[in-house]
Amino acid sequence: MIAFLGRFKPVIFMMRLTIIGFGNQAQAWAQNLKDSGFPVRIALRKDSASIKKAKDLDLPVVEIGSSAFFEDQYFALLTPDLSHQDFLNSIFKGKNSDSQINLGLFQWKEY
């Protein structure tokens, strides 16, 4: 494992991270990353009640499945565990991308 000290950031976080969902864990991730200077945005359903909450915290919001949603390469799926497989199959299946999706602490999956 390599640790980066000082002003250097790991390569993965030089690119914007899209956090899918906005529960307690996602809010903590988003605020910590934003406060540390990393580019982050929140992906939510069009009708999500959390859109206002994310915007009130000055976090950019994108609609899940929109063309803007697929602009990023790195995603953190912070939704209930039981929803992960259905979400991945319905949103990312058949997409031609080199996306990296974080399914939990240090669990990255290519899609």
Side-chain angles (χ1 to χ4, degrees):
M1 182 175 171
I2 299 173
F4 292 88
L5 303 174
R7 296 184 328 177
F8 297 99
K9 298 176 185 176
V11 173
I12 192 170
F13 289 115
M14 290 180 182
M15 300 177 74
R16 181 174 57 195
L17 175 70
T18 295
I19 296 176
I20 302 167
F22 204 60
N24 291 335
Q25 185 178 11
Q27 289 177 43
W29 276 45
Q31 281 298 127
N32 284 332
L33 289 168
K34 179 184 168 205
D35 292 347
S36 298
F38 296 114
V40 63
R41 69 179 179 167
I42 308 300
L44 297 168
R45 292 184 316 265
K46 186 178 188 174
D47 59 347
S48 174
S50 297
I51 292 173
K52 182 180 178 343
K53 187 186 294 186
K55 288 184 176 180
D56 287 348
L57 293 173
D58 239 6
L59 294 164
V61 176
V62 65
E63 182 183 338
I64 293 173
S66 69
S67 58
F69 173 79
F70 290 103
E71 291 173 359
D72 287 346
Q73 185 177 0
Y74 297 101
F75 298 85
L77 184 54
L78 299 180
T79 60
D81 292 345
L82 294 176
S83 70
H84 287 187
Q85 195 60 50
D86 288 339
F87 179 86
L88 293 172
N89 287 336
S90 66
I91 300 296
F92 285 94
K93 193 101 176 169
K95 295 292 180 196
N96 185 14
S97 71
D98 293 323
S99 298
Q100 298 282 324
I101 302 168
N102 181 291
L103 300 176
L105 191 60
F106 303 114
Q107 298 176 27
W108 289 90
K109 181 175 182 172
E110 287 189 31
Y111 251 83

